[in-house]
Short mmCIF file of all heavy atoms in Angstrom, two decimals:
data_model
loop_
_atom_site.label_atom_id
_atom_site.label_comp_id
_atom_site.label_asym_id
_atom_site.label_seq_id
_atom_site.Cartn_x
_atom_site.Cartn_y
_atom_site.Cartn_z
N ARG A 306 -56.57 145.39 87.31
CA ARG A 306 -57.10 144.23 86.60
C ARG A 306 -56.42 142.91 87.03
O ARG A 306 -55.21 142.77 86.92
CB ARG A 306 -56.94 144.38 85.06
CG ARG A 306 -57.62 145.65 84.62
CD ARG A 306 -57.53 145.76 83.03
NE ARG A 306 -58.29 144.71 82.35
CZ ARG A 306 -58.40 144.71 81.07
NH1 ARG A 306 -57.89 145.67 80.30
NH2 ARG A 306 -59.11 143.70 80.49
N PRO A 307 -57.19 142.00 87.66
CA PRO A 307 -56.53 140.80 88.21
C PRO A 307 -56.13 139.87 87.05
O PRO A 307 -56.65 139.94 85.96
CB PRO A 307 -57.70 140.16 89.00
CG PRO A 307 -58.98 140.70 88.42
CD PRO A 307 -58.56 142.06 88.01
N LEU A 308 -55.16 139.07 87.37
CA LEU A 308 -54.69 138.01 86.40
C LEU A 308 -55.74 136.96 86.33
O LEU A 308 -56.67 136.83 87.10
CB LEU A 308 -53.33 137.48 86.85
CG LEU A 308 -52.14 138.41 86.87
CD1 LEU A 308 -50.94 137.79 87.40
CD2 LEU A 308 -51.96 139.01 85.46
N TYR A 309 -55.58 136.05 85.27
CA TYR A 309 -56.67 135.15 85.02
C TYR A 309 -56.84 134.07 86.12
O TYR A 309 -58.01 133.59 86.35
CB TYR A 309 -56.40 134.44 83.70
CG TYR A 309 -56.81 135.32 82.49
CD1 TYR A 309 -55.88 136.15 81.92
CD2 TYR A 309 -58.15 135.31 82.04
CE1 TYR A 309 -56.29 136.97 80.88
CE2 TYR A 309 -58.51 136.12 81.04
CZ TYR A 309 -57.57 136.95 80.45
OH TYR A 309 -57.95 137.75 79.35
N ALA A 310 -55.75 133.75 86.85
CA ALA A 310 -55.96 132.74 87.92
C ALA A 310 -56.94 133.32 88.98
O ALA A 310 -57.83 132.59 89.43
CB ALA A 310 -54.61 132.46 88.54
N GLU A 311 -56.77 134.53 89.34
CA GLU A 311 -57.66 135.18 90.29
C GLU A 311 -59.03 135.29 89.73
O GLU A 311 -60.09 135.06 90.48
CB GLU A 311 -57.15 136.60 90.70
CG GLU A 311 -57.97 137.25 91.77
CD GLU A 311 -57.41 138.63 92.14
OE1 GLU A 311 -56.24 138.93 91.79
OE2 GLU A 311 -58.18 139.43 92.79
N LEU A 312 -59.20 135.71 88.45
CA LEU A 312 -60.53 135.84 87.86
C LEU A 312 -61.30 134.53 87.95
O LEU A 312 -62.47 134.46 88.29
CB LEU A 312 -60.44 136.26 86.43
CG LEU A 312 -60.09 137.76 86.19
CD1 LEU A 312 -59.83 138.03 84.72
CD2 LEU A 312 -61.23 138.65 86.71
N ILE A 313 -60.64 133.38 87.58
CA ILE A 313 -61.24 132.10 87.60
C ILE A 313 -61.60 131.68 89.08
O ILE A 313 -62.66 131.11 89.28
CB ILE A 313 -60.40 131.06 86.88
CG1 ILE A 313 -60.17 131.39 85.43
CG2 ILE A 313 -60.99 129.69 87.02
CD1 ILE A 313 -59.14 130.60 84.75
N ARG A 314 -60.65 131.95 89.93
CA ARG A 314 -60.78 131.56 91.33
C ARG A 314 -62.03 132.21 91.95
O ARG A 314 -62.68 131.67 92.80
CB ARG A 314 -59.49 131.92 92.08
CG ARG A 314 -59.39 131.39 93.48
CD ARG A 314 -57.94 131.51 93.96
NE ARG A 314 -57.46 132.88 94.05
CZ ARG A 314 -56.40 133.40 93.35
NH1 ARG A 314 -55.76 132.56 92.56
NH2 ARG A 314 -56.01 134.59 93.56
N GLU A 315 -62.28 133.50 91.57
CA GLU A 315 -63.33 134.32 92.23
C GLU A 315 -64.66 134.28 91.49
O GLU A 315 -65.60 135.00 91.80
CB GLU A 315 -62.87 135.72 92.30
CG GLU A 315 -61.63 135.95 93.11
CD GLU A 315 -61.75 135.45 94.57
OE1 GLU A 315 -62.88 135.66 95.12
OE2 GLU A 315 -60.83 134.90 95.26
N LEU A 316 -64.79 133.33 90.52
CA LEU A 316 -66.10 133.22 89.82
C LEU A 316 -67.20 132.87 90.87
O LEU A 316 -66.93 132.19 91.80
CB LEU A 316 -66.05 132.14 88.78
CG LEU A 316 -65.24 132.46 87.50
CD1 LEU A 316 -65.23 131.18 86.64
CD2 LEU A 316 -65.99 133.57 86.68
N PRO A 317 -68.41 133.39 90.62
CA PRO A 317 -69.50 133.15 91.60
C PRO A 317 -70.04 131.72 91.47
O PRO A 317 -70.90 131.31 92.38
CB PRO A 317 -70.58 134.10 91.16
CG PRO A 317 -70.36 134.41 89.72
CD PRO A 317 -68.85 134.31 89.57
N ILE A 318 -69.65 130.92 90.45
CA ILE A 318 -70.03 129.58 90.36
C ILE A 318 -68.82 128.69 90.39
O ILE A 318 -67.67 129.17 90.19
CB ILE A 318 -70.85 129.29 89.07
CG1 ILE A 318 -70.00 129.57 87.85
CG2 ILE A 318 -72.09 130.16 89.03
CD1 ILE A 318 -70.59 129.21 86.52
N LYS A 319 -68.96 127.39 90.63
CA LYS A 319 -67.87 126.41 90.54
C LYS A 319 -67.98 125.74 89.22
O LYS A 319 -69.07 125.20 88.86
CB LYS A 319 -67.95 125.44 91.70
CG LYS A 319 -67.81 126.04 93.06
CD LYS A 319 -66.47 126.67 93.29
CE LYS A 319 -66.29 127.24 94.61
NZ LYS A 319 -64.96 128.01 94.80
N ILE A 320 -66.87 125.67 88.50
CA ILE A 320 -66.93 125.13 87.15
C ILE A 320 -65.67 124.32 86.90
O ILE A 320 -64.57 124.63 87.31
CB ILE A 320 -67.02 126.24 86.07
CG1 ILE A 320 -67.23 125.70 84.65
CG2 ILE A 320 -65.88 127.23 86.16
CD1 ILE A 320 -67.61 126.73 83.67
N GLY A 321 -65.88 123.18 86.24
CA GLY A 321 -64.81 122.25 85.80
C GLY A 321 -64.98 121.85 84.33
O GLY A 321 -66.05 121.33 84.01
#
Side-chain angles (χ1 to χ4, degrees):
R306 300 185 66 173
L308 296 177
Y309 280 93
E311 182 181 345
L312 284 173
I313 298 171
R314 190 166 61 239
E315 300 300 325
L316 286 172
I318 64 174
K319 298 297 183 182
I320 185 169

